[in-house]
C-alpha cells in the first residue's frame, strides 16, 4: 500500500506547521513507562536527594508536550501518611514520542535513572493505546 503525499503550498506551510504544533491531539505514538525503584536501604534517600531537580525537568517535559502524565507509585499505607512518611515503589509515566527509542533516551536522561533511583533492569517501556475521551458509561 502506498501513502499519498500531502502537498502544502509554500504560502501556507507556516500556518500548517503552526496548527500541527498547537493541535491538542497529536498524532505521535504514546508510551507508558513503568520504572520501579531499587529496593536497597539507600533508594529512598537517593530519590529524595534529587527530587526537586527531577520535578523541574518533569515540568519542562510537560510544557513541551512530551510527558503527558506521570507520578510515583506508593505503598497502600502511604495514602494517608504525611509527605515525609510516604514510601515510594517507583514511577509511572505516559510519554509521547517518535519511537520507543526516543522515549527510552528521555528516561535514561532523567536524574532518577542516572542516580540509581529507578531499577534499570526492571524498567518497562511499552506503546499504549489510550481510551480517553470516551462518553461516560450509562448506569
Amino acid at each position: 500500500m502506498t501513502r499519498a503525499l500531502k502537498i502544502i503550498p509554500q504560502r501556507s506551510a507556516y500556518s500548517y506547521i503552526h496548527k500541527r504544533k498547537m493541535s491538542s491531539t497529536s498524532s505521535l505514538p504514546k508510551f507508558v513507562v513503568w520504572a520501579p525503584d531499587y529496593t536497597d536501604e539507600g533508594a529512598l534517600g537517593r530519590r529524595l536527594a534529587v527530587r526537586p531537580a527531577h520535578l523541574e525537568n518533569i515540568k519542562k517535559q510537560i510544557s513541551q508536550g512530551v510527558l503527558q502524565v506521570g507520578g510515583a507509585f506508593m505503598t497502600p499505607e502511604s495514602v494517608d501518611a504525611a509527605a515525609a512518611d510516604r514510601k515510594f515503589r517507583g514511577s509511572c509515566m505516559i510519554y509521547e514520542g517518535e519511537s520507543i527509542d526516543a522515549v527510552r533516551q528521555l528516561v535514561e536522561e532523567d536524574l532518577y535513572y542516572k542516580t540509581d533511583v529507578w531499577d534499570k533492569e526492571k524498567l518497562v517501556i511499552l506503546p499504549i493505546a489510550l481510551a480517553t475521551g470516551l462518553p461516560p458509561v450509562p448506569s
Side-chain angles (χ1 to χ4, degrees), residues 77-135:
E77 62 271 8
S78 295
V79 172
D80 296 321
D85 297 327
R86 292 181 180 154
K87 293 180 176 63
F88 299 98
R89 294 295 178 244
S91 303
C92 184
M93 293 89 45
I94 296 179
Y95 281 94
E96 186 174 272
E98 293 287 335
S99 67
I100 200 165
D101 291 329
V103 171
R104 180 172 298 283
Q105 182 177 353
L106 289 170
V107 171
E108 291 177 357
E109 290 170 357
D110 193 287
L111 280 175
Y112 281 179
Y113 186 92
K114 289 180 175 182
T115 59
D116 293 328
V117 173
W118 291 335
D119 188 332
K120 296 172 180 84
E121 300 276 325
K122 296 179 181 173
L123 184 78
V124 176
I125 304 173
L126 293 170
I128 186 170
L130 297 175
T132 56
L134 298 174

Side-chain angles (χ1 to χ4, degrees), residues 6-80:
K6 183 169 185 168
I7 305 299
I8 305 165
Q10 186 174 0
R11 68 184 182 286
S12 65
Y14 172 79
S15 65
Y16 176 79
I17 292 167
H18 182 71
K19 284 179 188 173
R20 293 275 299 160
K21 282 184 164 183
M22 301 307 288
S23 172
S24 61
T25 57
S26 174
S27 61
L28 290 175
K30 312 282 189 290
F31 299 89
V32 65
V33 177
W34 161 234
D37 288 356
Y38 282 106
T39 57
D40 61 275
E41 284 291 318
L44 180 60
R46 291 191 302 272
R47 176 183 268 272
L48 297 177
V50 297
R51 187 171 186 263
H54 165 77
L55 292 177
E56 282 302 313
N57 184 54
I58 292 300
K59 287 178 189 175
K60 184 174 75 173
Q61 289 181 343
I62 289 170
S63 71
Q64 294 170 341
V66 176
L67 181 63
Q68 302 298 303
V69 66
F73 277 105
M74 301 182 296
T75 60
E77 62 271 8
S78 295
V79 172
D80 296 321

